[in-house]
Amino acid sequence: MSRSSEIISAALLALFMSATASNVALSAAAGTPIRIGVLSVNQGPAAAGGADGFRGIAMAVKEVGGAIAGHPIKIIEEGTDQTGPTALAKVRKLVEQDHVQIVIGPGSGDEGIAVSNYADRQPGVTFIAGIAAGEAETYHHPNVFRFAYGDGAQWVAGLGRYAYSTLGVRKVATIGDNYSFGYAQVGGFVSEFCQAGGHVPKELWTPLGATDYSSVVPQIPSDTDAVYIALNGADAINFLTAYYAQGGHAKFIASSITVDESVLSAKGSIQNHLVGVASAAPLADTLEIPAWNSFVKAYKQHYPSGFAYPSVWATGYYTNAMAAFTALAKVNGDLSGHQQAFRAALQSLTYQSPTGPISVDGNRNGVFTNYVTSTQHGPNGTLLNAVVKSVPNVREETFLRGGVATPTHPACP
Amino acid sequence: MLALEVSNVTVRYGGVEALNRVSLSVSEGERHVVLGPNGAGKTTLFNLILGEVRPAAGVIRLHGEDVTRRSVVQRVRRGLGRTYQQPEVLARLRVEDNLILAVRGRIGPRFTVFSKRERDRDTRKRAFAALNAVALGGVAERRAHELAHGQAKQLEIAMALAGGARVVLLDEPASGLSAGERKQITAVIDGLDRSVTVIVIEHDMDIAFHIADRLTVLHQGRVLACGDPERVRAAAEVREAYLGSGLDG
Amino acid sequence: MIAFHGAPSGRSLAWCSTLLAAIVLPFLASSFVTQDILALAAWSAIVAMSMVFLSKYGGMISFAQVGIYGVGSYSFAILAVGHGVPWYGAVAGALVAATLCALLFALLVARTYGIYFLMVTLALGLVVYFLTISNYGLTHGSGGIPGVNPPHLGSISLAQPIPEYFLDSSVAFAVLLGLTLLMRTQFGLALQGCRDNPRKMRAMGYSVMSYRVIAFTLAGSIAGIGGVLGVWYNGIIAPSYLDLTRIIDFLAIAVIGGMESLEGTFAGAIIYAIVTTYASSFTDRYNTVIGLVLLAIVMFAPGGVGGLVSRVGARLALAKAQLTPASTE
Amino acid sequence: MEEFALTTLNGVAMAALYFLVAAGFSLIFGVMRIVNMAHGSLFLLGGYLGWSVAALTHSWLLAIVAAGAATAALGLMLQQGLLRHYQGQELTEALITIAVSIVIADLLVATYGGLSYQIPAPVPLGHSIRIPGTALRYSSYSLALIGVALATGLALWLFLERTIWGVVLRAGIDDRQMVAVLGLNIQRIFALVFAIGAGLAGMAGVLDGTLLSLVPGVDSSYLVAALAAVIVGGMGSLEGSAVGALVVGMATEFGIGYFPSYAEALTFAVMAVVLVVRPTGLLGKAR
């Protein structure tokens, strides 16, 4: 036991030095800046999307000239690996060490659950989701707002009805990633499709990050009119590869994430099978509204090496940041009094985003315009999502009737 | 009464018969030496008696009781102890603790998390008695891996005896020792109480014939000869097996 | 009791000052340091200690401790959040569950040694991870179970930095003390004997398998304690708290502290918390930094901080002994 | 019935891939007692390198050769530069490979980002074919993959059984001291084994990148699969890796096909059962 005390003292000493060092840095900051922490992904499969999220933030800061009502905006970025533990560690650091007043992020559902849960312990900080789209994420958390883009079920608004009425599909099998966001993306489609009169005889759930889907393919019933896929980037590509390797020829309908930028710009050719496939998302590459056109122009100008079109990450983070900045401008950057004025401004705000007007409902969750899209060839062999139809005023309650989506809910076999 | 009785035991490793219908009887208090060239099956015989190896056929009796199906632990509790050719000690523990564990292992109970003080004192006393019996009292505080080879062998003998063993198996106690150490270890074996039965594997013929009451010679897994030193020395088969090497000494 | 054993002067002084620092520090440091470095380190050290204990005294390098810790966390969350069991009941349930899980694992692996043991326990740790991710009904899949809160003791919320720090650090210290005392008993001695030479111990009348099973189960209970404190700290438990990355996190803590030093886990946990918190402020490639730090420690300071300190300590003691040859006990 | 047949075939194809990863992992373990936790990273690295080479040269064959050679060289560097100095210190060696795997994984994210990469299959293997005598259609690439694994397994077997190097290696697996006593240059054998194991991992990466896709995270999936395969099959034996890979491949495919939400847990449940029944693995020798 002789060395124990020495070990512990050595550790405490090291700690002390680091603690004092950070305090010095803190006191050196001048003026009354507004401190905003940003959480996005910079490790793992979603790193490319996550980087686009940081781009969206940078564009928003640039747009307001780096200050609001004389208060300089101080952005502190932290990267995560798309898991709850890392998001939690990073948000703790942002709030407790860097003393940010507003957090924008995180980017994925599991992270969102962990961060919203943490928000309860930090009532003095306002949290604005990045594009984390877990269902009911803002419920019961009075300091959590989410403009872009509500939950994963909202992202597919319009698709179920479109499939039934326009595509004439009556029976659909679904395959989804076995986690909260997958449930939401399937649940959103199924509830609308069922309401329109359709049937879903089979729902398949596969593990997130599964490598080989060859044995899932034979499980897909052959007597349905279409298959609805709600699989993330690499999973979607692996599924399609296995599907076409076995000579399949079903008609596909795709969820938002199945045809997002990360899939459409993957290095390979399997996604060409997705050309003409109907999907839905809170944005569409070929949107013909001026705000979108100027946003795309600015994105391409600043980030020539970025995606062909701003991804949902860039657009969502940008929109959430701009909503926060607009509300801040209304209260002249006043974050005193537990940020009550700021939160009231957020609550009553309608922000004209690049993809249309966006506001929050009574649960502080986004109300926005969603788009039914179709995947098309773009210039130089790229793929893009073309607008088919717009669905205004998409609200969370529409989908949440009967509770949060699970592997067995909603259903209409 | 026989302390140990091995009858018609066969041990197979894969297809090879390491022991073939081997029998061995050792009376109480006897000094019995097992001889034989390398690969004769001597160490296998010890592993078998202790229970580390299970026989394909045959019976092993300890003090009349059939222990063929008993585990190593059960046999040790019945008074069996052994050493290994390469000294096996608890390397990172102190010499004293090696012995305390040896005493405890035999007298049980198995798990004494918080032991009573008197019993603790008794254990220590017995441990030190065993230690002094092999003249290792001076190194009680050392870690076992710091001991010289000869000391480690003595420690092992002490451990085998500690806690009141009645039958001990010593596997080449003198191997790898200097002449002086050999003398010392022979003296230790000589000095053992006659209530303890000792079975020794030994290559050194001087030591073997010095300590033996009776001998058994193994060759290729079979018993070649068995009996008192004169008879074994005279046996023609033994001379043949060893090709006359060293037996004249 | 431990502190005042042996030469009283230097050692007890060092101990008292360490204890004093541990008590005073949270009042001087920021709440971030108190909670997100020190309290985090304290409960992480408990999990790491369950690993180091098995390695140091049992010779078993177990990668399953994080899985068992997860069983503790999940059990508490399921009981407290899912079924509204009061916190003390949920704590008891969590410890029982973690202990039973460890016992089951122990029976599976007790006959396995060395590097095989490492591989098999790694696989078992991953079993827990995959089960939590796939059993939606019980564990809510990858999103996990949020809304777990530490109890209030009177008017004190254990979610507050200073109370949480004192709770976590005193439990960690109690575990350290308990394990150290336990290892001085006959049981501890016999366990160390089984580590050094299982064959010999069997030949001496010890059921080696039982000792290994008991030690592994005990370590599981300790990991379970870490699981409860951990889920209080995080407020949530999810499969991603048990994946390969987290297994390596806790291993790194143990390695930095030294696989032969229970006390070292505190230093390892503090250093690891500091590196992971601040490295990301300097570079996006902080995982490379962590990998290189780990590599450097493994290669150049194999005993970890514990080993370094004891080496320096030994040299100091030697120097001191040379200076004062007449020193008496 | 057709579903069952297809799933079985998929299991064999997956087993082929797992075997290529597990064989190298097991060989390294068997000879050196090193749990190479960087094996998955070498796999992913090989895959990415293969993609780059294929993108540059449009040659799939060149991609697989280059990836195999590069990862073999890297494995050799890892063994000679880092591991050689810690021979026999099993934990240290495992920890070194863990640290290396963290660094490689991070640098790969930095270089290739998080997007999926697919390597185009060589032209003759890009389609599905009818399996003779049945109505089943199956990917010709997967069938070729099974062939590659069989050929590799055979080559390794011949190497181990029929060459002097192989004899020494097997002796080394059984008794490392003995090889040293025989005066054979065990260092050169260690280096060779590590290079072969790493090269196999890299080539498997390219095969996987062609069959499925490459993305951060598959490194640990395949490491874990290899781990499960060698535990099930028996550590350090070529036949064991084959049997283990087959069991794990079947468990993966039947799991995802019939109990998808428990797919991964199933693999490990099988492993636990094997451990209980035969602690040394199905073909493992008693220790």
Side-chain angles (χ1 to χ4, degrees):
Chain A
M1 293 297 287
S2 64
R3 58 211 152 92
S4 16
S5 50
E6 295 166 53
I7 295 171
I8 298 168
S9 359
L12 290 181
L13 191 70
L15 171 78
F16 224 64
M17 284 158 62
S18 76
T20 42
S22 58
N23 281 336
V24 170
L26 207 134
S27 60
T32 53
I34 296 169
R35 305 175 67 83
I36 299 178
V38 178
L39 280 177
S40 188
V41 176
N42 73 346
Q43 311 283 325
D52 221 28
F54 287 128
R55 290 185 195 125
I57 296 288
M59 286 173 74
V61 173
K62 200 174 172 71
E63 190 164 325
V64 298
I68 289 164
H71 300 278
I73 300 171
K74 170 110 175 87
I75 298 282
I76 300 153
E77 294 182 352
E78 284 291 343
T80 71
D81 59 1
Q82 222 184 346
T83 66
T86 307
L88 189 59
K90 297 298 181 191
V91 77
R92 275 175 178 271
K93 190 231 162 202
L94 286 174
V95 171
E96 296 168 39
Q97 169 78 6
D98 300 328
H99 301 286
V100 300
Q101 296 148 294
I102 300 168
V103 173
I104 301 177
S108 76
D110 288 351
E111 296 178 282
I113 294 172
V115 170
S116 296
N117 189 56
Y118 173 71
D120 290 349
R121 294 186 183 183
Q122 299 294 345
V125 178
T126 300
F127 294 78
I128 300 171
I131 54 162
E135 283 182 289
E137 194 177 296
T138 56
Y139 282 33
H140 314 300
H141 306 295
N143 53 341
V144 179
F145 290 77
R146 177 166 62 184
F147 283 85
Y149 291 102
D151 71 19
Q154 286 172 277
W155 289 31
V156 290
L159 188 56
R161 194 153 286 128
Y162 176 78
Y164 189 88
S165 320
T166 310
L167 300 178
V169 173
R170 293 293 175 265
K171 261 165 86 179
V172 168
T174 67
I175 173 165
D177 277 326
N178 193 15
Y179 81 125
S180 47
F181 188 69
Y183 306 148
Q185 290 251 286
V186 171
F189 173 83
V190 168
S191 83
E192 204 182 282
F193 183 64
C194 294
Q195 255 171 34
H199 289 281
V200 182
K202 182 133 188 165
E203 293 187 10
L204 289 165
W205 300 105
T206 49
L208 186 60
T211 43
D212 187 14
Y213 288 79
S214 312
S215 298
V216 180
V217 174
Q219 303 288 328
I220 296 172
S222 49
D223 59 343
T224 56
D225 302 330
V227 178
Y228 174 74
I229 323 174
L231 300 171
N232 264 323
D235 294 3
I237 288 169
N238 286 345
F239 171 75
L240 292 169
T241 306
Y243 187 80
Y244 288 108
Q246 294 188 19
H249 44 70
K251 181 183 214 168
F252 282 125
I253 302 167
S255 80
S256 326
I257 41 165
T258 306
V259 290
D260 71 2
E261 291 297 331
S262 74
V263 176
L264 296 188
S265 54
K267 314 289 179 182
S269 56
I270 193 71
Q271 63 271 38
N272 284 330
H273 286 286
L274 288 170
V275 173
V277 163
S279 178
L283 75 171
D285 298 336
T286 62
L287 210 53
E288 279 305 329
I289 53 178
W292 176 253
N293 286 338
S294 58
F295 180 66
V296 172
K297 198 174 151 205
Y299 177 86
K300 286 186 174 173
Q301 188 191 333
H302 290 311
Y303 306 108
S305 61
F307 291 111
Y309 284 89
S311 70
V312 69
W313 289 82
T315 317
Y317 271 76
Y318 170 85
T319 300
N320 277 317
M322 284 305 292
F325 295 165
T326 313
L328 273 172
K330 280 192 178 162
V331 297
N332 288 319
D334 177 17
L335 288 172
S336 61
H338 293 291
Q339 308 191 356
Q340 288 312 327
F342 170 57
R343 286 178 195 169
L346 281 174
Q347 183 68 63
S348 61
L349 178 73
T350 297
Y351 166 63
Q352 297 299 327
S353 85
T355 60
I358 190 163
S359 57
V360 291
D361 62 17
N363 289 314
R364 301 158 303 284
N365 186 63
V367 179
F368 59 93
T369 307
N370 206 48
Y371 298 94
V372 176
T373 63
S374 165
T375 308
Q376 302 296 347
H377 283 293
N380 332 321
T382 57
L383 290 173
L384 51 77
N385 287 313
V387 187
V388 174
K389 198 180 151 200
S390 64
V391 188
N393 281 322
V394 176
R395 291 177 163 271
E396 190 171 34
E397 297 90 74
T398 321
F399 296 96
L400 264 181
R401 264 182 231 127
V404 170
T406 68
T408 50
H409 169 85
C412 56
Chain B
M1 173 125 166
L2 290 176
L4 177 76
E5 189 184 5
V6 175
S7 32
N8 282 319
V9 165
T10 300
V11 172
R12 292 196 191 92
Y13 290 131
V16 187
E17 290 196 334
L19 292 178
N20 191 348
R21 302 179 65 79
V22 166
S23 294
L24 177 77
S25 304
V26 184
S27 357
E28 218 148 297
E30 186 177 320
R31 283 6 184 187
H32 194 107
V33 173
V34 180
L35 288 176
N38 281 328
K42 303 184 299 288
T43 297
T44 303
L45 179 66
F46 270 23
N47 293 345
L48 174 91
I49 296 170
L50 190 71
E52 291 179 339
V53 166
R54 292 294 163 100
V59 175
I60 302 154
R61 288 198 175 80
L62 196 59
H63 299 294
E65 182 194 359
D66 184 350
V67 295
T68 318
R69 310 245 158 268
R70 299 283 186 191
S71 69
V72 176
V73 171
Q74 287 167 322
R75 294 183 200 196
V76 173
R77 293 273 157 77
R78 282 166 174 73
L80 198 57
R82 88 165 278 190
T83 69
Y84 293 87
Q85 194 176 339
Q86 286 301 318
E88 300 264 358
V89 292
L90 310 173
R92 289 167 63 188
L93 295 186
R94 295 178 312 149
V95 170
E96 179 190 341
D97 291 336
N98 270 265
L99 278 159
I100 286 177
L101 281 174
V103 173
R104 273 289 154 158
R106 201 176 310 281
I107 62 178
R110 263 181 252 181
F111 303 117
T112 45
V113 176
F114 300 104
S115 48
K116 286 209 182 84
R117 274 185 188 275
E118 321 82 86
R119 202 162 55 189
D120 226 33
R121 214 172 294 139
D122 180 53
T123 306
R124 291 175 68 86
K125 219 162 77 188
R126 294 168 74 158
F128 272 97
L131 211 51
N132 290 326
V134 294
L136 282 180
V139 292
E141 293 286 326
R142 293 258 201 96
R143 306 263 161 195
H145 66 81
E146 295 167 357
L147 296 182
H149 184 72
Q151 288 176 312
K153 297 215 92 162
Q154 288 177 337
L155 172 60
E156 239 207 330
I157 294 174
M159 287 164 79
L161 289 164
R166 295 165 67 199
V167 178
V168 289
L169 314 173
L170 307 180
D171 195 344
E172 298 197 28
S175 74
L177 298 188
S178 68
E181 287 172 327
R182 275 159 191 259
K183 240 179 221 144
Q184 215 173 344
I185 215 120
T186 314
V188 166
I189 297 171
D190 277 341
L192 292 179
D193 193 280
R194 270 286 165 177
S195 67
V196 179
T197 308
V198 184
I199 305 171
V200 187
I201 295 174
E202 189 47 72
H203 274 301
D204 184 319
M205 291 304 158
D206 290 336
I207 296 179
F209 281 89
H210 169 79
I211 56 181
D213 296 330
R214 290 170 69 234
L215 297 102
T216 294
V217 182
L218 281 182
H219 184 60
Q220 293 180 348
R222 291 165 186 275
V223 176
L224 210 60
C226 181
D228 53 49
E230 280 63 44
R231 222 183 104 195
V232 169
R233 212 187 284 266
E237 302 97 317
V238 178
R239 288 186 174 278
E240 202 177 305
Y242 277 84
L243 294 168
S245 62
L247 263 187
D248 304 319
Chain C
M1 170 171 186
I2 287 168
F4 302 108
H5 172 82
S9 55
R11 247 181 245 175
S12 56
L13 196 69
W15 261 98
C16 287
S17 55
T18 306
L19 205 63
L20 195 70
I23 292 169
V24 171
L25 193 63
F27 297 102
L28 301 176
S30 69
S31 67
F32 175 76
V33 168
T34 304
Q35 191 161 31
D36 297 321
I37 305 275
L38 292 176
L40 169 69
W43 71 259
S44 304
I46 296 176
V47 181
M49 255 192 278
S50 83
M51 204 180 268
V52 171
F53 159 69
L54 282 178
S55 154
K56 179 178 182 181
Y57 295 107
M60 298 177 257
I61 293 155
S62 166
F63 281 30
Q65 300 312 106
V66 175
I68 299 168
Y69 139 89
V71 170
S73 290
Y74 264 105
S75 305
F76 181 86
I78 290 166
L79 290 171
V81 179
H83 298 273
V85 175
W87 68 269
Y88 40 88
V91 168
L95 295 186
V96 168
T99 308
L100 287 179
C101 170
L103 176 63
L104 177 72
F105 284 2
L107 294 172
L108 283 174
V109 300
R111 281 179 294 172
T112 315
Y113 290 84
I115 203 78
Y116 298 91
F117 189 91
L118 183 154
M119 284 173 78
V120 173
T121 49
L122 173 58
L124 287 176
L126 292 169
V127 172
V128 178
Y129 165 69
F130 286 123
L131 281 175
T132 57
I133 210 166
S134 46
N135 193 334
Y136 188 84
L138 193 64
T139 61
H140 290 264
S142 76
I145 305 175
V148 185
N149 287 307
H152 288 257
L153 293 181
S155 60
I156 304 168
S157 163
L158 291 175
Q160 290 300 313
I162 289 178
E164 183 164 37
Y165 163 76
F166 278 109
L167 171 74
D168 291 358
S169 56
S170 45
V171 173
F173 188 72
V175 168
L176 170 66
L177 198 68
L179 284 177
T180 309
L181 289 178
L182 180 66
M183 284 308 103
R184 293 183 175 182
T185 64
Q186 293 292 341
F187 171 80
L189 207 54
L191 181 63
Q192 294 174 63
C194 296
R195 166 201 67 197
D196 282 3
N197 197 332
R199 185 185 186 188
K200 179 74 181 181
M201 284 299 279
R202 222 169 284 127
M204 280 159 59
Y206 289 86
S207 166
V208 172
M209 168 122 175
S210 312
Y211 278 92
R212 288 167 67 89
V213 167
I214 289 175
F216 196 91
T217 309
L218 174 68
S221 311
I222 291 165
I225 295 173
V228 171
L229 296 177
V231 78
W232 286 355
Y233 170 84
N234 288 315
I236 180 172
I237 179 69
S240 44
Y241 283 86
L242 315 177
D243 63 11
L244 190 58
T245 316
R246 304 306 137 181
I247 293 176
I248 291 172
D249 280 351
F250 282 102
L251 179 72
I253 290 174
V255 168
I256 293 170
M259 290 299 270
E260 289 287 310
S261 166
L262 284 176
E263 311 88 330
T265 54
F266 291 103
I270 290 175
I271 292 171
Y272 198 66
I274 291 173
V275 171
T276 48
T277 305
Y278 296 104
S280 62
S281 308
F282 297 111
T283 166
D284 274 356
R285 303 271 67 81
Y286 60 87
N287 276 326
T288 300
V289 174
I290 290 169
L292 292 176
V293 167
L294 194 58
L295 192 62
I297 286 179
V298 171
M299 293 180 67
F300 304 118
V305 177
L308 273 182
V309 171
S310 65
R311 236 185 296 167
V312 172
R315 203 162 298 167
L316 283 178
L318 191 71
K320 203 169 140 193
Q322 282 164 347
L323 282 176
T324 55
S327 76
T328 47
E329 279 282 293
Chain D
M1 194 53 224
E2 186 185 319
E3 212 175 283
F4 184 83
L6 274 178
T7 307
T8 308
L9 214 49
N10 291 331
V12 177
M14 213 58 218
L17 203 48
Y18 286 157
F19 170 73
L20 292 171
V21 188
F25 183 77
S26 182
L27 196 63
I28 291 172
F29 180 83
V31 177
M32 285 173 263
R33 294 288 180 271
I34 293 175
V35 177
N36 181 17
M37 298 286 285
H39 209 67
S41 305
L42 291 168
F43 168 92
L44 184 58
L45 175 71
Y48 279 137
L49 285 176
W51 183 86
S52 294
V53 172
L56 274 177
T57 64
H58 303 285
S59 163
W60 186 83
L61 221 57
L62 208 58
I64 201 160
V65 170
T71 49
L74 191 70
L76 198 64
M77 278 158 60
L78 170 63
Q79 195 268 337
Q80 288 289 307
L82 298 177
L83 296 169
R84 192 164 53 101
H85 313 291
Y86 300 93
Q87 253 159 37
Q89 301 173 35
E90 297 167 341
L91 177 65
T92 306
E93 288 169 324
L95 290 172
I96 287 174
T97 58
I98 287 177
V100 168
S101 77
I102 295 173
V103 174
I104 293 181
D106 197 44
L107 294 180
L108 286 179
V109 168
T111 315
Y112 288 90
L115 289 178
S116 284
Y117 286 71
Q118 278 191 311
I119 304 166
V123 178
L125 297 176
H127 306 280
S128 66
I129 53 168
R130 188 177 299 281
I131 297 169
T134 67
L136 294 179
R137 292 191 69 81
Y138 201 68
S139 149
S140 53
Y141 177 77
S142 296
L143 292 175
L145 184 62
I146 296 170
V148 169
L150 284 176
T152 310
L154 188 69
L156 278 176
W157 183 82
L158 285 174
F159 171 72
L160 287 173
E161 296 288 328
R162 294 280 184 273
T163 67
I164 180 71
W165 284 88
V167 172
V168 174
L169 263 177
R170 275 183 299 132
I173 290 173
D174 289 336
D175 184 354
R176 273 186 294 171
Q177 273 85 32
M178 199 191 81
V179 177
V181 169
L182 288 177
L184 295 160
N185 190 343
I186 194 113
Q187 288 309 325
R188 206 178 296 169
I189 294 170
F190 284 172
L192 176 73
V193 164
F194 218 100
I196 292 177
L200 278 176
M203 285 163 68
V206 179
L207 292 166
D208 175 64
T210 314
L211 179 71
L212 303 162
S213 64
L214 300 162
V215 72
V218 300
D219 43 357
S220 42
S221 321
Y222 278 86
L223 172 67
V224 167
L227 186 72
V230 299
I231 291 176
V232 167
M235 298 171 215
S237 107
L238 182 64
E239 296 87 342
S241 329
V243 171
L246 198 62
V247 172
V248 174
M250 288 294 173
T252 308
E253 294 295 332
F254 277 91
I256 200 169
Y258 293 92
F259 332 94
S261 45
Y262 285 90
E264 283 145 322
L266 181 73
T267 306
F268 287 92
V270 169
M271 192 193 72
V273 170
V274 170
L275 273 178
V276 174
V277 182
R278 275 190 69 94
T280 51
L282 293 174
L283 297 186
K285 291 189 190 120
R287 298 188 295 274

